[in-house]
Amino acid sequence: MTWLRAVVAAGLSMVFPGAGHVVIRDWLRALLFAGLYFVTFWLFFPVDQIATAESFAEAMTITSEVDMLSQLTLLFVNLIAAFDAIIRALEFSPNAAGDDGGATCPECGKELDEDLEFCHWCTARLEPSPDEEPAQT
């Protein structure tokens, strides 16, 4: 499931930078990459001409007439956003959590609170470990 999530995040980031980060719930980076995309577009493309275009086809004609360096800059932002979305999606996988040696949930793999009898992340019921004896009163 982690790989599928990473591929979806990368694909959405190629369509619009920041959208892939929304899938992995990395809100700050989503805003960062969306803002970077808009600033790059504003700096390198004739926004005033595109805004005054009569039709979508005319706007696309204006966009296609932009020099190659500007188009590559925008593509670079898309690729960096997609690459970052993949790395972040794989880094936040359930298997990567809990590497600090603490107890982890058998269902989601995230760190457990020792005082609870269920995982507070995925609400899975936890069986007592064989080491623990039930409290006798």
Side-chain angles (χ1 to χ4, degrees), residues 8-57:
V8 168
L12 286 174
S13 288
M14 285 303 295
V15 173
F16 184 77
H21 291 86
V22 170
V23 169
I24 59 175
R25 296 184 184 115
D26 197 355
W27 309 112
L28 187 60
R29 285 185 184 246
L31 289 173
L32 174 85
F33 279 111
L36 183 63
Y37 180 80
F38 282 123
V39 167
T40 304
F41 192 83
W42 181 71
L43 289 175
F44 289 99
F45 283 75
V47 177
D48 53 344
Q49 292 176 5
I50 294 171
T52 59
E54 296 285 325
S55 66
F56 182 75

Side-chain angles (χ1 to χ4, degrees), residues 2-3 6 12 14 19 30-31 43 54 64 66 69 90 102-103 113 128-129 135:
T2 303
W3 279 100
L12 286 174
M14 285 303 295
L31 289 173
L43 289 175
E54 296 285 325
S64 66
V66 175
L69 181 62
L90 294 177
D113 185 354
S129 65

